[in-house]
Every structure is written in C-alpha cells, then in structure tokens.
Amino acid sequence: MKPNRVLRALISFGLLAALVAVLVISQNRDPSNPHTSVSKDTWIHGPQGHGYAVQNNQQPWKQCYTCHEKKGLGGEVYCQSCHDQSGVKVTIPKKPS
C-alpha cells in the first residue's frame, strides 16, 4: 500500500472511532438536565455545586423551580422538602408578586 492510502485509512478509522465514542457517550446523558455532567455527590457537596448555585442565584423561580417542575419534582416545595430532610434551616427566596 502506498503511504497516502495508509494515512487516509488511519484518518478514516480515527474519525469513525470518534463518532462511535460520541454516540455512546451521548446515550448516557440527559440533555435536559444541566447537572448530568457532575456526579450527584459532587453536585450536592462540591465547591461549585448546589451551595454555590444557591449563593449566586437568589432568584430560583427563574431557573431552578421551572426546571424542577418540568421534571415533575415540584418547585419551592421540592427544595423545602429536601432541606427539611437534611435538617438545613434556610429561608427560600420568594418570587416577587
């Protein structure tokens, strides 16, 4: 075989392998959940996780509640129930009237 054919074959094989890898990885992700790329433990307890999001997003009705309601989890009630279970005493920001 000529060197050009070998190079083309290697490039084609590499591109095919990359395509297969992307397809396999994408099957394990939920594109509608922005937290899927982070493990649950890291999201809840990590330095850039839930606590960070709460401290930097004081308007959860704009992002969190809407998404949680679409997922069937509930909005403010969902957050409060989780806080109650974990024993966290917080005041959840209310949506302005």
Side-chain angles (χ1 to χ4, degrees), residues 30-89:
D30 180 1
S32 66
N33 184 350
H35 313 302
T36 55
S37 63
V38 181
S39 73
K40 184 176 182 178
D41 189 52
T42 302
W43 169 243
I44 297 297
H45 304 292
Q48 295 288 318
H50 174 263
Y52 177 82
V54 169
Q55 294 300 321
N56 292 292
N57 174 18
Q58 293 300 313
Q59 299 175 342
W61 56 88
K62 285 187 175 180
Q63 294 175 343
C64 307
Y65 296 168
T66 341
C67 185
H68 290 170
E69 287 168 357
K70 284 180 188 174
K71 294 282 184 189
L73 300 171
E76 186 177 338
V77 175
Y78 173 70
C79 295
Q80 191 60 53
S81 69
C82 187
H83 291 159
D84 291 343
Q85 288 175 9
S86 60
V88 175
K89 304 291 182 213

Side-chain angles (χ1 to χ4, degrees), residues 17-29:
L19 176 63
V20 168
V22 166
L23 290 174
V24 167
I25 290 170
S26 69
Q27 296 301 314
N28 298 329
R29 305 272 185 213

Side-chain angles (χ1 to χ4, degrees), residues 9-21:
L10 286 174
I11 290 172
S12 295
F13 179 73
L15 289 172
L16 181 63
L19 176 63
V20 168

